[in-house]
Amino acid sequence: MKDTYFVVGISTEVGKTIVSAILTEAFQADYWKPIQSGDLENSDTDKVKRLISNTHTVFHPNSYGLHTPASPHLSAQLDGVRIELSKIVRPETNNTLVIEAAGGLYVPLNEKDMMLDLIHPTDKVILVSRHYLGSINHTLLTYETLKNRGLNIHSIVFSGSPTPSTEEVILHHTNLPVLLHIDEEPYFDKRVISEYATKINTP
């Protein structure tokens, strides 16, 4: 396998799926979301499929496809199953792999394991930060958690209307390279994703 990029966010609904689509398109990478909670008829895998243009990408099935849009541990309980880390097996591929997290790092999978536990030390972690009140705190907490685990924080993506003062503070405290800025777009389609794929600043 080539590089593995693990896309994590400072919270839910911060743009992880859009970032995953852009990376998948830019690198013609494979895509995998280990756990999907809810929206099985319009999953994040389905969304990325609709957003990319290349024909090289392979979409690998979720290890767990859960029916309720909730925290994975609760969604699994409602489905009558228990999420087991041993059953979350990474797909075999010789291609670059983009992995998308569900929610934030401390989203529980069961009574002891968290989303954070799915990240490998060799993964290149892409941190997605969206501008909102409180995002500095959430971004720095997420960064510190990854750092304390000794994980490889590759770069950061900022999404939403540009907020230079916020970005300045975050970059001062993390010294992370900026992979991409994503504007508050009216919509995302293949054309928009393709345009952003050309703007990636690979560190």
Side-chain angles (χ1 to χ4, degrees), residues 5 7 15-29 31 47-48 51-54 57 98 100 126 128 157-159 179-183 185 188-201:
Y5 294 90
V7 180
K16 294 189 301 297
T17 301
I18 294 299
V19 171
S20 295
I22 293 169
L23 289 170
T24 299
E25 180 66 14
F27 302 134
Q28 296 190 24
Y31 171 88
K47 292 170 185 173
V48 175
L51 288 170
I52 68 164
S53 304
N54 86 83
T57 295
V98 173
E100 182 183 350
I126 308 296
V128 182
V157 174
F158 291 108
S159 68
L179 186 72
L180 192 65
H181 285 86
I182 301 176
D183 295 329
E185 301 286 352
F188 288 94
D189 60 11
K190 289 184 178 183
R191 180 188 60 80
V192 176
I193 293 298
S194 181
E195 287 181 359
Y196 273 108
T198 67
K199 297 178 181 180
I200 287 179
N201 301 310

Side-chain angles (χ1 to χ4, degrees), residues 61-104:
N62 311 122
S63 294
Y64 288 90
L66 308 169
H67 289 85
T68 304
S71 174
H73 81 292
L74 175 58
S75 188
Q77 288 177 14
L78 294 173
D79 279 3
V81 299
R82 182 183 186 276
I83 295 174
E84 303 279 357
L85 290 189
S86 62
K87 294 182 180 179
I88 302 177
V89 180
R90 294 194 174 193
E92 294 185 6
T93 177
N94 292 321
N95 195 14
T96 299
L97 180 64
V98 173
I99 303 175
E100 182 183 350

Side-chain angles (χ1 to χ4, degrees), residues 131 135-136 158 161-173:
H131 294 311
S135 68
I136 294 176
F158 291 108
S161 300
T163 311
S165 60
T166 293
E167 295 181 19
E168 181 181 353
V169 171
I170 291 170
L171 296 177
H172 173 73
H173 285 282

